[in-house]
Amino acid sequence: PGSTFPPLLLGGALGAIALVAGLWWFREKRLGTNRRLLRAFHALSEDIISAGSPGEIAEKLATVLPTVTQATGVRLYLYSRRSKSLERVPTPGEPDPMVVPVESPPDGLAGGAVVCFRNRTLLNVPDLRRSPFAEAEGESQPRSAMFLPLLSQSDVTGVLEVGNARRMGYFSHEEQAAAQHLANQVAASLKLQEQQTIREQLFRSEKLAATGQLISGVASELRAPLDSILQLANSLASYGRNPIPERELKLLAGESQRASEIVSRLVSFARPEDSAARQVDVNAMLASLMQFRDPEWRALGLRVQNRLTPAPALVLGSQGQIEQVFLNLLVHAEQYASESAAKTIFVSSSVIARRVMIEIGYSIAQSEKGAEVDPFAEGRSRDGALGLGVCRGIIQSHGGEIRFRSGPAAEAIRMARFEIDLPIARESAHEVRREAPRSARKTGAVMTVLLVDPDAGSQRQLLGLLASRGHRVVPAPMEEAADLAQRVRFDAVFWAMRPSAPGASDYQEKIRAHVASFVLVSDGYDAELAGSLESSGGFLLARPVQESDLDRILKQMEAQGPSAQVAKPAR
């Protein structure tokens, strides 16, 4: 009776508090589940973009998608233009392939895939038992399903089928939108795979064309040593039991070695290419190619000047691709020099600011009008040789650049030259001590950095600051950086592209999936943005770049170590 609050009111208040606490707990649990599913969905999207084959995509979808949606089964159909049909991609759960003609589709769920493909829109079937697609499916059919077109720009590359065997009813609007977004991701990944396949086929076809061009020259080169070997063999046979002169034995061995080297060079050039990136000494490669072409040059009466530096110049890339570019440029120079009066070719190399510059120069005829035009602009090539545009693409994919220069017509001996600029992969300790300031030299591990900055001045500043600290820097344009990051291992990327640039966000997402540390270079410092980046493993560097800020970020990268996880974009 002396209580301030009546028992009934106190009990109601406690009950209300318990109800609010329960609702809050339920809400937090639901939000946590949604966040977990969202992270899994985004991880699946990234795995799909980085997949290497349609089978890998189908397997990832069948494994992960049922955990983030109401689906219990997933099938992927790809359209074949050759057979005009939808072909189901086999998975471990359904290893048997299946072909569905678009013109005359069969009964069952495969018919729903054809309808979706024809109409180019999402098709949702809440109850398959009351749908025409239930025919010929029997008891194994799901209770509900939806079909999603794989849209890439204006093209439909296939259909994604998602089924639920447990219950009827519509997939929610959120699930439909998310599944359509995922289907579009699949289409984009398939387009990337197709482009990569076409690029490899183009490279192989151009390489075979260049090989065919060399066969006639190699045949003529082989004829001379083989004739000498035959003559020496007949001469040695005439000695009978008499002692054979040592001089003729040495001649026989020398001619045999010469023929063997010619054949080895041709076989090496035609061998299937290993695209794995490794360190390549371009000076040694050029010296070997010049030795290979020397018999042909002597036959044409060309004067060749070897100005290569004796020290190794190591670059990171595919040895076969770089060798093919240099060989094609040498053949191009040979063809034009042989038509000129001077008949001169020179090859030089130099290492400046941690980049190697190779020059392949040749004399040109005074009447050669086409030499005044950049051969890359017209895609000029002779006798079916590898296109110069393809050469430029290969060099750019290795983080370099290739330029053409032509002398004025008033000169007595007109010269033209190719300038190839490539980033070196490693420097000797002497070069580092000679070029790097003592105050800027760091004791941490050397990193390979991808630099994406459209501003030439800012790019030079960052390149100089990073290189002076002993790091390898590869500048690349935005459009090529994503492909380069997939083929070459980079420890960090410095990204200075504005978000308003066309496609900047998409390229940034692709690069961050393959690089351990991401540094965003902005015009000003934003504390909230910096915190968001650091929470996802990234960093913010403000312009003008201060060396103290750069050193702080580099120390944090080194502290993460080589085993750091690939940084995920901030959501």
Side-chain angles (χ1 to χ4, degrees):
S3 175
T4 305
F5 299 99
L8 185 59
L9 181 59
L10 182 61
L14 293 175
I17 293 173
L19 179 61
V20 171
L23 293 175
W24 180 85
W25 175 84
F26 179 77
R27 174 181 175 275
E28 288 299 316
K29 182 178 180 181
R30 184 174 180 180
L31 291 176
T33 301
N34 290 337
R35 285 192 293 268
R36 178 181 59 82
L37 295 178
L38 187 61
R39 286 194 296 268
F41 184 84
H42 288 311
L44 176 60
S45 299
E46 295 173 357
D47 291 340
I48 287 174
I49 289 295
S50 62
S53 65
E56 185 178 350
I57 294 177
E59 184 176 355
K60 290 182 181 296
L61 288 171
T63 303
V64 180
L65 195 58
T67 64
V68 296
T69 65
Q70 301 180 29
T72 58
V74 180
R75 294 174 180 174
L76 180 62
Y77 296 88
L78 300 183
Y79 179 66
S80 173
R81 293 183 177 87
R82 178 176 53 82
S83 60
K84 295 184 178 180
S85 60
L86 293 175
E87 299 178 355
R88 188 177 68 191
V89 179
T91 60
E94 293 180 318
D96 297 330
M98 179 179 178
V99 178
V100 184
V102 175
E103 300 298 332
S104 55
D107 296 331
L109 286 178
V114 172
V115 172
C116 173
F117 178 80
R118 286 178 173 176
N119 296 335
R120 307 164 66 91
T121 186
L122 186 149
L123 175 62
N124 190 24
V125 184
D127 187 358
L128 280 171
R129 292 181 300 181
R130 300 182 180 181
S131 169
F133 305 128
E135 299 178 7
E137 287 291 332
E139 297 180 356
S140 61
Q141 68 176 0
R143 303 291 298 276
S144 58
M146 62 176 171
F147 303 89
L148 307 113
L150 307 182
L151 299 173
S152 177
Q153 296 178 350
S154 60
D155 190 19
V156 181
T157 59
V159 174
L160 178 63
E161 174 193 326
V162 181
N164 188 326
R166 290 191 292 264
R167 69 180 185 86
M168 298 180 298
Y170 289 91
F171 285 90
S172 66
H173 293 293
E174 291 79 8
E175 288 181 331
Q176 293 181 33
Q180 183 60 68
H181 172 74
L182 197 64
N184 295 341
Q185 293 283 87
V186 173
S189 178
L190 293 173
K191 281 290 185 182
L192 291 176
Q193 295 174 17
E194 181 182 3
Q195 292 173 3
Q196 179 66 19
T197 301
I198 293 175
R199 182 177 180 180
E200 292 175 356
Q201 291 175 349
L202 175 63
F203 177 76
R204 288 294 301 159
S205 63
E206 295 283 7
K207 185 172 183 178
L208 291 175
T211 305
Q213 180 199 7
L214 293 176
I215 287 178
S216 59
V218 171
S220 63
E221 292 176 15
L222 278 174
R223 186 177 296 111
L226 291 178
D227 289 344
S228 299
I229 292 172
L230 180 60
Q231 293 176 4
L232 289 170
N234 292 332
S235 175
L236 295 177
S238 64
Y239 283 94
R241 297 182 179 181
N242 297 327
I244 300 175
E246 183 179 355
R247 175 179 175 275
E248 295 197 8
L249 289 176
K250 290 183 177 180
L251 288 175
L252 180 62
E255 293 297 324
S256 301
Q257 180 65 24
R258 177 185 170 192
S260 175
E261 290 177 354
I262 294 174
V263 174
S264 298
R265 172 61 62 181
L266 181 63
V267 171
S268 173
F269 182 69
R271 185 182 298 121
E273 176 59 31
D274 180 10
S275 60
R278 56 173 58 90
Q279 291 185 353
V280 180
D281 185 358
V282 294
N283 282 338
M285 177 186 293
L286 283 167
S288 176
L289 290 174
M290 293 175 67
Q291 183 181 3
F292 171 56
R293 298 301 298 172
D294 183 66
E296 184 72 17
W297 292 345
R298 283 192 280 106
L300 294 173
L302 300 178
R303 291 186 291 271
V304 181
Q305 302 174 12
N306 186 344
R307 305 175 186 172
L308 297 172
T309 58
L314 301 176
V315 301
L316 186 66
S318 170
Q319 179 173 350
Q321 293 182 9
I322 298 176
E323 183 180 39
Q324 183 177 353
V325 170
F326 286 147
L327 180 59
N328 189 74
L329 295 179
L330 289 173
V331 172
H332 180 93
E334 166 193 314
Q335 293 170 343
Y336 279 89
S338 62
E339 299 173 358
S340 67
K343 294 185 179 297
T344 301
I345 293 178
F346 73 85
V347 181
S348 67
S349 66
S350 59
V351 178
I352 303 174
R354 294 170 177 82
R355 297 182 74 85
V356 58
M357 172 71 74
I358 300 102
E359 292 185 351
I360 299 177
Y362 54 94
S363 58
I364 55 179
Q366 292 288 348
S367 59
E368 180 64 58
K369 301 299 184 183
E372 300 177 3
V373 182
D374 187 346
F376 295 109
E378 299 183 353
R380 290 165 56 103
S381 61
R382 294 186 174 186
D383 303 330
L386 179 67
L388 294 179
V390 178
C391 291
R392 166 167 282 177
I394 293 174
I395 293 298
Q396 289 178 344
S397 68
H398 285 76
E401 185 57 66
I402 181 171
R403 297 174 292 273
F404 176 77
R405 300 283 188 266
S406 177
E411 293 183 352
I413 300 178
R414 294 191 60 196
M415 299 293 293
R417 70 181 185 273
F418 292 102
E419 297 177 353
I420 303 96
D421 181 17
L422 288 168
I424 62 176
R426 185 178 60 188
E427 302 165 308
S428 66
H430 172 72
E431 289 174 325
V432 172
R433 287 193 297 268
R434 176 172 55 85
E435 296 180 9
R438 291 183 177 269
S439 61
R441 180 62 179 159
K442 299 300 174 182
T443 59
V446 176
M447 294 189 297
T448 303
V449 179
L450 178 63
L451 176 59
V452 183
D453 191 345
D455 187 348
S458 173
Q459 183 186 94
R460 284 194 299 270
Q461 181 197 17
L462 270 175
L463 192 150
L465 290 174
L466 291 169
S468 67
R469 285 154 173 79
H471 301 298
R472 297 184 292 265
V473 185
V474 179
M478 179 183 67
E479 296 78 8
E480 299 174 7
D483 181 65
L484 190 62
Q486 294 179 13
R487 295 187 299 103
V488 181
R489 180 187 175 277
F490 289 95
D491 300 299
V493 57
F494 281 68
W495 180 272
M497 297 298 301
R498 296 180 180 274
S500 58
S505 299
D506 295 335
Y507 285 115
Q508 178 182 340
E509 294 278 343
K510 294 177 183 178
I511 291 176
R512 295 195 66 181
H514 299 280
V515 180
S517 299
F518 180 87
V519 181
L520 178 64
V521 183
S522 65
D523 293 332
Y525 186 82
D526 187 332
E528 182 176 356
L529 178 59
S532 176
L533 286 171
E534 291 177 359
S535 65
S536 60
F539 305 91
L540 179 65
L541 181 63
R543 290 196 187 100
V545 177
Q546 303 295 325
E547 294 195 29
S548 58
D549 295 337
L550 179 61
D551 292 337
R552 174 181 54 81
I553 291 176
L554 292 177
K555 286 182 180 179
Q556 292 178 0
M557 290 182 185
E558 294 172 3
Q560 291 177 354
S563 60
Q565 297 294 327
V566 174
K568 299 297 181 182
R571 300 295 178 186

